[in-house]
Amino acid sequence: MSPDDPAYGWHGDLLDLDAYLARIGVEGELPPTVGTLRVLMRAHALAIPFENLEIVLGRPILLGVEDLQAKMVRASRGGYCFEHVTLFAAVLERLGFGVTGLSARVRMGSGALRPATHALLRVAAEDGGDWICDVGFGHGQLEPIELADGAGTTRDRWAFRLERGVEGWLLYAGPLDLHSFTLDPRYAIDYVVFDHYVSTHPRSPFVGRLIAQCVRPEIRYALDGTTLTSTRVDGTDETVRLEPGEVPKVLEEVFGIVLDEQDTARLVAVLAAG
């Protein structure tokens, strides 16, 4: 890293750390240790939902730290992977962790070769080890996983593990391979480029399609358009079909996302037309 080029960093100096910690409900001393990383990641995952509403509402995704704070911290909104990862990287950098951005190819059990359109982090703690933090996938990894073949975590009974494959590393949620990634470093400016493609390309799954996800200790919620699925840790799930006009209330009550009157009307119109 060049000490003179801010493009290599995550701009943690621009972060309102107190406001972020209040948003996720964390207090106290936060040394750059594995214990702190576990506390922060779980709190972030439980407090800030995954969502792509800006794309659906016809607005760009902005990855500046100030923009992310305004949306995800002060406005209590969520974001998708590039937003979560960029914000979390700024937090960790500010606290003294070593932070490296990574990119992944989403698999979801398909085995197909897909472009690297997902972001995650490799984090170094002062008390040892490198750790994978995937705060922006939406499937709810609740704590870091050590970067080691076969390493895993079962926090709140949500099971994740890493395996080293032929072309890199694979992250599993239970038996499902979520994505594969390499350890080639990515930087904030790379995420700006990736974000533009994912948020604008007509074949992107995030364009023209509402997606919101959140995790709780005992249940995951996933909203896909007007379909709400609730999945419990024992694998049972329930699916509810919503009317377009019911979606804003579900966003508020389930995901903690409150839209103003104008955005509510726009969202309902988009869903009704879809």
Side-chain angles (χ1 to χ4, degrees), residues 33-91:
T33 62
V34 176
T36 293
L37 188 60
R38 289 195 174 102
V39 168
L40 289 173
M41 187 169 174
R42 185 174 190 273
H44 181 110
L46 293 176
I48 306 180
F50 179 102
E51 50 107 331
N52 71 331
L53 278 160
E54 296 301 284
I55 302 172
V56 177
L57 295 171
R59 296 193 290 258
I61 300 292
L62 303 176
L63 297 183
V65 171
E66 299 96 331
D67 299 305
L68 297 173
Q69 288 187 133
K71 178 187 176 188
M72 302 173 74
V73 176
R74 297 192 177 96
S76 298
R77 285 277 306 280
Y80 76 158
C81 69
F82 300 111
E83 296 170 283
H84 277 274
V85 165
T86 304
L87 178 62
F88 200 59
V91 172

Side-chain angles (χ1 to χ4, degrees), residues 66-239:
E66 299 96 331
D67 299 305
L68 297 173
Q69 288 187 133
K71 178 187 176 188
M72 302 173 74
V73 176
R74 297 192 177 96
S76 298
R77 285 277 306 280
Y80 76 158
C81 69
F82 300 111
E83 296 170 283
H84 277 274
V85 165
T86 304
L87 178 62
F88 200 59
V91 172
L92 297 180
E93 181 186 74
R94 175 72 170 273
L95 292 172
F97 289 92
V99 184
T100 302
L102 304 175
S103 61
R105 301 177 187 274
V106 176
R107 294 168 62 94
M108 296 301 291
S110 71
L113 178 63
R114 293 171 173 168
T117 56
H118 177 59
L120 66 160
L121 297 173
R122 177 180 182 176
V123 181
E126 71 173 11
D127 52 345
D130 284 349
W131 303 81
I132 294 300
C133 295
D134 191 0
V135 293
F137 197 78
H139 268 71
Q141 183 188 335
L142 290 177
E143 67 177 15
I145 301 176
E146 188 172 12
L147 183 58
D149 193 11
T153 174
T154 313
R155 186 66 182 263
D156 296 310
R157 295 192 291 162
W158 298 113
F160 295 85
R161 77 180 188 281
L162 286 175
E163 288 189 6
R164 191 162 192 171
V166 175
E167 298 182 353
W169 295 80
L170 293 96
L171 177 67
Y172 286 81
L176 180 67
D177 53 330
L178 299 179
H179 58 67
S180 63
F181 62 92
T182 69
L183 301 182
D184 298 327
R186 305 297 182 188
Y187 304 100
I189 191 62
D190 295 322
Y191 290 161
V192 171
V193 176
F194 298 160
D195 167 57
H196 176 71
Y197 174 88
V198 174
S199 64
T200 63
H201 195 280
R203 292 183 61 184
S204 168
F206 297 105
V207 173
R209 173 186 172 195
L210 171 62
I211 301 174
Q213 298 180 6
C214 66
V215 63
R216 301 290 180 263
E218 296 293 331
I219 192 167
R220 289 193 191 111
Y221 296 100
L223 180 63
D224 187 340
T226 56
T227 300
L228 177 67
T229 302
S230 308
T231 303
R232 298 190 175 277
V233 290
D234 62 5
T236 60
D237 58 44
E238 178 183 1
T239 298

Side-chain angles (χ1 to χ4, degrees), residues 14-32:
L14 302 178
L15 182 75
D16 184 344
L17 183 60
D18 290 340
Y20 171 82
L21 294 175
R23 169 79 165 102
I24 67 171
V26 171
E27 300 177 342
E29 295 296 318
L30 297 170

